[in-house]
């Protein structure tokens, strides 16, 4: 609507078209194209790139298992420790074998009006009250389950007592913003989680929870099946790292 209203005054301004007006027109077009290009191709691209990387990783794992004729499970588990709706994972991780969860922000429909002022959704609880460390300690399985051998999903949580709220098992892939990296480094120190992907997201952000790169940690699986191999990415040297899925693709082409 604003473009329609501004069309006639703008057209009148540039008629007749002098050299100065041509220069002004080129400058305005260049500014608009630069902003559009940055906003659509650079700013917050990490939250999209990570979804594509995870999906490609899953497809590579499925191919690797098919080539090896393995009966191992091809289920990928992913946990997003981010403010809700940070990534479009529901529309991109389309394979049913990808089991993902994220921090929620459910509206307080069943909460009385007088209590809604102090209502905190799951994402608020994670970041504000009780905070990341306390939330992980209360809602995730003991970190002891990811320090020993064997995949976490095969280990029963130590404190899942009868009648208590079941705790989430640690996923094969943890996705979070760089802002949270220091906290997770301290809480998960000594576990089998290792960084396997990092992607640029933005130079600036108005939400402190979304600042920095998008980071993925993979839960190492003692090399048993290769199901949790390193997520494919391009390193700082410009050379593409070869994942186990790429190796399987080369084997398939050679057959």
């Amino acid at each position: 609507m604003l473009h329609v209203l501004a069309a006639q005054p703008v057209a009148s301004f540039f008629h007749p078209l002098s050299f100065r007006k041509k220069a002004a027109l080129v400058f305005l077009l260049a500014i608009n194209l630069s902003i559009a290009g940055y906003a659509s191709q650079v700013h917050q691209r990490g939250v999209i790139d990570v979804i594509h990387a995870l999906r490609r990783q899953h497809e590579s794992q499925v191919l690797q298992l098919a080539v090896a004729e393995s009966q191992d499970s091809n289920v990928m588990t992913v946990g997003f420790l981010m403010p809700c709706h940070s990534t479009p994972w529901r529309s991109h991780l389309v394979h049913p074998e990808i089991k993902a969860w994220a921090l929620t922000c459910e509206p307080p429909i069943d909460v009385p009006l007088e209590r809604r002022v102090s209502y905190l959704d799951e994402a608020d609880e994670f970041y504000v009250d009780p905070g990341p460390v306390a939330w992980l300690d209360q809602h995730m399985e003991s970190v002891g389950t990811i320090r020993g051998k064997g995949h976490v999903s095969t280990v029963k949580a130590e404190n899942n007592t009868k009648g208590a709220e079941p705790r989430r098992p640690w996923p094969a892939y943890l996705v979070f913003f760089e802002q949270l990296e220091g906290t997770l480094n301290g809480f998960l120190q000594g576990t089998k989680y290792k960084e396997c992907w990092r992607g640029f997201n933005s130079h600036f952000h108005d939400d402190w929870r979304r600042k920095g790169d998008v980071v993925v940690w993979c839960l190492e699986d003692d090399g048993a099946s290769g199901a949790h191999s390193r997520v494919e990415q391009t390193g700082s040297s410009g050379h593409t790292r070869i994942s186990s899925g790429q190796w399987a693709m080369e084997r398939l082409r050679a057959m």
Side-chain angles (χ1 to χ4, degrees):
M1 179 60 71
L2 292 177
H3 286 83
V4 173
L5 295 175
Q8 197 277 331
V10 171
S12 300
F13 174 78
F14 286 105
H15 183 77
L17 194 60
S18 63
F19 175 78
R20 288 186 176 181
K21 291 181 179 180
K22 284 183 179 180
L25 180 60
V26 170
F27 175 76
L28 291 174
L29 287 175
I31 290 295
N32 278 272
L33 289 174
S34 299
I35 294 174
Y38 179 82
S40 61
Q41 302 298 320
V42 179
H43 186 59
Q44 296 197 81
R45 66 172 298 163
V47 293
I48 303 295
D49 290 344
V50 68
I51 300 300
H52 291 307
L54 289 170
R55 185 171 63 184
R56 287 195 300 267
Q57 178 68 6
H58 173 70
E59 292 167 349
S60 296
Q61 291 171 5
V62 171
L63 179 60
Q64 180 188 5
L65 293 174
V67 171
E69 298 182 354
S70 173
Q71 299 300 316
D72 291 342
S73 172
N74 60 357
V75 173
M76 169 189 277
T77 55
V78 187
F80 292 88
L81 295 178
M82 296 174 157
C84 56
H85 308 305
S86 292
T87 67
W89 63 277
R90 290 185 184 274
S91 62
H92 285 61
L93 301 182
V94 295
H95 299 288
E97 298 85 4
I98 301 178
K99 308 298 182 183
W101 56 264
L103 299 176
T104 62
C105 50
E106 303 293 340
I109 298 176
D110 299 325
V111 178
L113 290 175
E114 61 273 12
R115 295 178 54 191
R116 292 185 182 182
V117 176
S118 58
Y119 171 77
L120 295 177
D121 57 41
E122 188 176 40
D124 291 333
E125 291 177 350
F126 179 80
Y127 282 100
V128 181
D129 185 14
V133 172
W135 189 94
L136 292 170
D137 192 51
Q138 293 173 13
H139 294 85
M140 302 299 293
E141 290 183 348
S142 168
V143 292
T145 62
I146 49 177
R147 285 200 173 106
K149 291 186 177 181
H151 189 270
V152 62
S153 62
T154 65
V155 183
K156 188 175 181 180
E158 298 172 357
N159 42 15
N160 274 1
T161 57
K162 187 176 181 180
E165 181 182 351
R167 300 195 177 198
R168 288 172 174 163
W170 290 97
Y173 298 88
L174 269 181
V175 186
F176 53 91
F177 287 106
E178 186 179 1
Q179 177 272 334
L180 195 62
E181 191 170 17
T183 301
L184 292 181
N185 271 326
F187 186 78
L188 296 175
Q189 185 176 10
T191 66
K192 295 186 292 181
Y193 274 115
K194 304 294 180 184
E195 180 180 322
C196 56
W197 191 91
R198 180 183 292 264
F200 168 79
N201 189 57
S202 62
H203 293 103
F204 60 91
H205 208 291
D206 59 341
D207 188 343
W208 61 271
R209 302 171 301 175
R210 292 184 167 99
K211 289 185 177 180
D213 297 338
V214 175
V215 185
V216 180
W217 282 4
C218 299
L219 187 62
E220 294 185 345
D221 200 19
D222 304 320
S225 64
H228 304 143
S229 56
R230 190 175 187 85
V231 177
E232 178 185 342
Q233 68 173 7
T234 301
S236 57
S237 61
H239 299 290
T240 302
R241 296 191 178 100
I242 303 299
S243 67
S244 58
Q246 288 176 295
W247 173 83
M249 177 67 80
E250 293 173 0
R251 284 280 304 274
L252 185 62
R253 288 172 177 170
M255 293 175 63

